[in-house]
Amino acid sequence: MEMETVLIVIIVLAVAAYGTGYFMKKKHYQTINNLEQQKFDLMDTSVAETIQNVEILSLTGQTEKNFEQWKDKWKQIELTAFPDIENLLFDAEQATDRFQLIKAGKSESRSRELIESTKNKIKEIQLALNELLKSEEKNSQAIKKVEEMYQGIRKKLLTQSFSFGPALDKLEKKLTFLELSFSNFFELTSSGDHIEAEEVLKKVNYETKELNDAVTTIPSLVKEISNEFPAQIQELKEGYHELKDVQHFVFLGDTLTSDIAEIEQDIEQGEKLIKQCETEKVEKLNSIIEEKINHLYDVMEAEISAKEAVEKEQPILAKFIEFVNKRNQQLLIEIDRVSQSYTLDDTFSEQTKDMQEQIEEIQFNFETFNNGIEKNQAVYTVVAESHAEDSERLAQIEEKQEKLIKQLADLREEETEVKEKIDDFEFNMRGIKRYIEKQHLPGLPEEYLDLFFVTTERIEKLAKELNKLKIDMTEIKKMCEMCEDDVELLIDKTEEIVDSAILTEYMMQYANRYRNDHPQIGEAILESNELFNKEFQYKEALEIISTALEVVEPGSFKKVENQYYEEKSRTAK
């Protein structure tokens, strides 16, 4: 039984092995067939036909050499690559027949790689051959465009020769050399050397474009160098002569003559560069010349504009100087007058003297420049700048003068305000005295009386200071502020004493109801009464009676206090 089982297993394994081998061989045959079809596709390419078409062109020179190289590469593929592929596929097929599947796989892989590399080489050959076929047509189309540009250049040089100035001879020579390059191109093309012709075509194309750019650019450069710049130079010379010799203008660090001569040298250099067709250098030089010419125009125009400004501003500045000077003199007089009644800070005199010095300096500058103008020695731009600066300085001086004048005027106002405040202080002191006397208090605390008398003395001292022939308002304002603080404090203290005294009386009356039942209330009343009538410490008296009463009847003080202030408010109304 066991023997039969073993046989069955062996048979099954054998069948499985056979089946697997069959399918593996079939897969390899399919791969070989596929690769062989790819080989046939490569052999069917039109390279050979293309080679025949190129041979008909009768190529020469470099073109012929290139063609022979590609032709040799194709022969190498035919003689080597294709047979090698065929041999590898044959080896793969034999190995598959013999169940040498690993060997077959290696041959298939090598043949696949060879097919791929051969395919790339064939593509490269085909592209190169196609380019050779198209080279004649391609060159023919390109040369037409270049010829059109060339004819345009030739026409311009013939019909507009005057616009090229000294560059004409150089441009005509370049055109002649260009004609030689065209001839060379056509000779190479007719002989079949299309590759060399293409190289010549590149050179012709570049030279034609370069010449066309020059022909397009040079007329405008010639116009500037030969016409516009010389005309502007002549205008500058005439303008300079008119301003300097006729109108007697003076220029600061006058270098206009040498500057004009330098520009003329630049123009001569530009003409030489144009003759050599150095367009880029001419463009740069023309920009420099234009900038120099514009600068000289600006210098002249600046002096003309400055003269107009000076002639307009001179009378205005003269009046401004006169006004500020007169005002400063008045300010000095006013300071002297005010200083007889008030002690002034030294800065008043110092600032006024400093402003006077500045005014005199400005006056000197103004007269100096006027003298220079009368003698035709003034540089108007310098004069205009100086006038502008002096006008600004005068405006600042005027502003300072106004500030000082206001400060002087404020002294009188401040004195009047202090006088009015003294009247208010005295009125308040009399009111406080009447108010405190009206309360019929047994007496007043010593510290309160000290404050009252100190305040009274300070007010009296302030009044005496204010009545002096010469007063120091800075010191008086300080004293006035101290009096204000003292009077306000005295008013607050007076209210505090009166409120405490009346509230104490109210609280003692309210406490009498508890006097028989609560001995501590009786003691508090006696102590409070002692402080009230003998020591005049009303606030402390109120605190003692209120504290004792709060123990017996919490909230009693707040109730009495509210009632008092309500009555006080109604009475005030």
Side-chain angles (χ1 to χ4, degrees):
M1 191 66 182
E2 290 180 0
M3 196 65 180
E4 291 177 0
T5 303
V6 171
L7 287 172
I8 292 170
V9 170
I10 292 171
I11 292 169
V12 170
L13 290 172
V15 171
Y18 176 79
T20 302
Y22 173 78
F23 286 113
M24 290 293 290
K25 286 177 69 176
K26 185 176 182 182
K27 185 177 179 182
H28 278 279
Y29 286 139
Q30 288 175 346
T31 300
I32 293 166
N33 290 336
N34 183 39
L35 291 171
E36 193 163 9
Q37 183 60 48
Q38 290 181 40
K39 181 199 72 173
F40 289 140
D41 291 341
L42 290 177
M43 295 173 71
D44 286 343
T45 54
S46 58
V47 174
E49 183 180 348
T50 305
I51 288 172
Q52 291 178 357
N53 292 335
V54 173
E55 286 176 335
I56 296 172
L57 297 177
S58 301
L59 302 177
T60 60
Q62 185 61 42
T63 308
E64 184 180 17
K65 289 180 182 178
N66 284 2
F67 170 65
E68 292 298 331
Q69 288 176 356
W70 294 114
K71 186 177 176 183
D72 289 343
K73 287 183 178 180
W74 171 249
K75 286 181 180 178
Q76 190 175 3
I77 289 172
E78 283 184 318
L79 297 174
T80 306
F82 288 152
D84 288 346
I85 294 169
E86 181 63 34
N87 291 334
L88 287 169
L89 292 176
F90 179 75
D91 291 344
E93 189 173 6
Q94 278 194 332
T96 302
D97 290 341
R98 297 170 183 170
F99 252 106
Q100 296 174 343
L101 301 182
I102 295 174
K103 182 179 178 181
K106 289 180 180 179
S107 296
E108 291 165 9
S109 179
R110 288 174 61 196
S111 63
R112 189 180 291 107
E113 291 172 359
L114 187 56
I115 288 170
E116 190 63 31
S117 65
T118 303
K119 185 189 295 183
N120 292 332
K121 289 177 182 178
I122 291 173
K123 282 182 180 179
E124 186 181 10
I125 293 168
Q126 188 70 56
L127 284 171
L129 293 173
N130 288 337
E131 283 296 318
L132 288 175
L133 284 172
K134 294 177 182 177
S135 60
E136 182 180 13
E137 182 182 354
K138 181 181 175 183
N139 287 351
S140 177
Q141 291 175 351
I143 198 65
K144 284 181 181 178
K145 293 180 181 179
V146 179
E147 278 186 305
E148 288 176 6
M149 190 182 297
Y150 165 80
Q151 291 300 333
I153 295 168
R154 188 167 179 276
K155 183 178 179 181
K156 282 183 181 178
L157 290 176
L158 288 171
T159 60
Q160 302 174 23
S161 58
F162 62 91
S163 67
F164 298 101
L168 183 62
D169 289 344
K170 186 82 172 180
L171 292 172
E172 288 178 340
K173 286 180 181 178
K174 286 190 174 187
L175 190 67
T176 301
F177 287 129
L178 198 57
E179 288 172 355
L180 294 175
S181 296
F182 271 104
S183 298
N184 187 21
F185 169 81
F186 288 121
E187 286 176 7
L188 290 169
T189 301
S190 61
S191 67
D193 193 353
H194 302 295
I195 291 177
E196 191 63 30
E198 186 176 358
E199 291 301 314
V200 173
L201 177 59
K202 289 178 182 177
K203 180 184 175 186
V204 171
N205 185 47
Y206 173 78
E207 291 174 349
T208 305
K209 284 182 178 179
E210 187 179 43
L211 184 58
N212 187 61
D213 290 341
V215 168
T216 304
T217 306
I218 285 174
S220 62
L221 299 177
V222 169
K223 185 180 178 182
E224 287 180 332
I225 285 288
S226 301
N227 301 322
E228 293 178 3
F229 292 157
Q232 289 172 338
I233 289 296
Q234 184 59 33
E235 188 177 30
L236 285 171
K237 286 180 177 178
E238 292 173 359
Y240 178 63
H241 169 70
E242 172 67 23
L243 293 175
K244 188 173 185 296
D245 301 329
V246 179
Q247 298 186 33
H248 305 294
F249 273 81
V250 178
F251 296 90
L252 185 66
D254 189 356
T255 59
L256 269 75
T257 301
S258 59
D259 290 341
I260 291 171
E262 183 180 306
I263 295 172
E264 288 177 326
Q265 291 176 359
D266 290 338
I267 292 171
E268 290 178 6
Q269 177 64 20
E271 289 175 344
K272 292 177 183 178
L273 291 172
I274 284 178
K275 190 174 182 180
Q276 297 300 318
C277 295
E278 298 283 355
T279 54
E280 289 186 6
K281 291 181 179 179
V282 177
E283 285 176 341
K284 290 179 180 177
L285 182 60
N286 281 12
S287 296
I288 294 170
I289 293 171
E290 184 178 10
E291 188 176 334
K292 289 180 178 180
I293 289 174
N294 289 338
H295 170 68
L296 295 185
Y297 275 120
D298 290 342
V299 169
M300 294 184 187
E301 288 173 4
E303 288 301 323
I304 294 170
S305 300
K307 182 181 180 182
E308 293 174 357
V310 167
E311 289 175 348
K312 180 180 178 181
E313 292 297 325
Q314 258 186 327
I316 298 172
L317 183 58
K319 289 180 180 179
F320 199 2
I321 293 170
E322 183 182 359
F323 168 75
V324 174
N325 187 42
K326 185 177 179 181
R327 198 178 195 189
N328 215 60
Q329 296 301 319
Q330 292 171 344
L331 185 56
L332 285 168
I333 294 169
E334 180 66 11
I335 289 171
D336 183 61
R337 186 187 69 79
V338 172
S339 65
Q340 295 174 15
S341 301
Y342 300 94
T343 301
L344 297 179
D345 193 300
D346 292 340
T347 56
F348 278 91
S349 297
E350 290 172 359
Q351 288 186 56
T352 309
K353 288 177 181 178
D354 178 63
M355 288 188 291
Q356 188 61 41
E357 290 175 1
Q358 290 186 56
I359 294 167
E360 290 171 0
E361 183 184 338
I362 292 169
Q363 178 72 39
F364 176 78
N365 289 344
F366 183 75
E367 292 173 355
T368 301
F369 282 126
N370 277 355
N371 187 45
I373 291 170
E374 290 172 2
K375 294 181 179 179
N376 297 321
Q377 295 174 346
V379 179
Y380 282 105
T381 49
V382 176
V383 177
E385 184 179 354
S386 177
H387 282 2
E389 290 175 355
D390 288 343
S391 293
E392 178 63 26
R393 289 173 69 191
L394 288 170
Q396 292 172 359
I397 291 170
E398 183 185 19
E399 187 178 337
K400 289 180 181 178
Q401 288 174 340
E402 289 177 357
K403 187 176 179 181
L404 290 176
I405 291 169
K406 186 177 184 306
Q407 288 176 350
L408 292 172
D410 287 347
L411 289 172
R412 182 67 64 186
E413 292 180 6
E414 289 169 357
E415 180 185 0
T416 302
E417 288 177 5
V418 172
K419 284 181 178 180
E420 290 174 354
K421 286 184 178 181
I422 289 174
D423 292 339
D424 290 340
F425 296 155
E426 291 175 347
F427 177 78
N428 285 330
M429 292 301 289
R430 288 194 297 272
I432 291 169
K433 187 177 180 183
R434 286 196 301 271
Y435 179 65
I436 203 75
E437 288 175 351
K438 188 179 177 182
Q439 306 306 318
H440 302 292
L441 298 174
L444 294 170
E446 187 176 345
E447 63 270 17
Y448 175 79
L449 290 172
D450 289 342
L451 177 60
F452 185 90
F453 293 127
V454 166
T455 303
T456 302
E457 288 173 4
R458 190 165 282 163
I459 294 169
E460 289 174 354
K461 185 178 179 182
L462 176 60
K464 286 179 183 179
E465 286 291 325
L466 203 59
N467 288 325
K468 288 182 178 180
L469 291 175
K470 187 173 183 179
I471 60 176
D472 185 347
M473 283 308 302
T474 302
E475 187 64 30
I476 284 173
K477 283 193 288 184
K478 290 179 182 178
M479 291 176 64
C480 186
E481 289 174 2
M482 291 172 68
C483 289
E484 277 183 323
D485 294 339
D486 288 346
V487 171
E488 287 178 9
L489 179 59
L490 190 60
I491 290 170
D492 291 340
K493 289 293 182 182
T494 302
E495 287 291 338
E496 182 183 301
I497 287 173
V498 172
D499 289 341
S500 297
I502 296 174
L503 276 171
T504 301
E505 290 176 344
Y506 279 13
M507 289 303 291
M508 283 194 289
Q509 290 172 10
Y510 192 86
N512 278 330
R513 68 183 68 181
Y514 297 107
R515 189 168 191 173
N516 295 329
D517 298 330
H518 298 278
Q520 68 271 28
I521 294 295
E523 292 174 3
I525 290 172
L526 289 174
E527 187 179 353
S528 180
N529 198 35
E530 180 76 16
L531 289 169
F532 188 93
N533 291 301
K534 293 182 178 181
E535 298 181 23
F536 318 128
Q537 297 297 324
Y538 305 109
K539 187 177 180 182
E540 288 77 359
L542 176 62
E543 186 176 348
I544 287 172
I545 191 64
S546 299
T547 303
L549 195 56
E550 280 292 315
V551 175
V552 177
E553 185 186 338
S556 55
F557 172 71
K558 196 66 179 176
K559 183 169 64 173
V560 174
E561 185 184 40
N562 289 340
Q563 183 181 356
Y564 164 70
Y565 282 116
E566 286 174 7
E567 289 176 2
K568 185 178 180 180
S569 178
R570 285 196 299 270
T571 305
K573 292 180 181 178

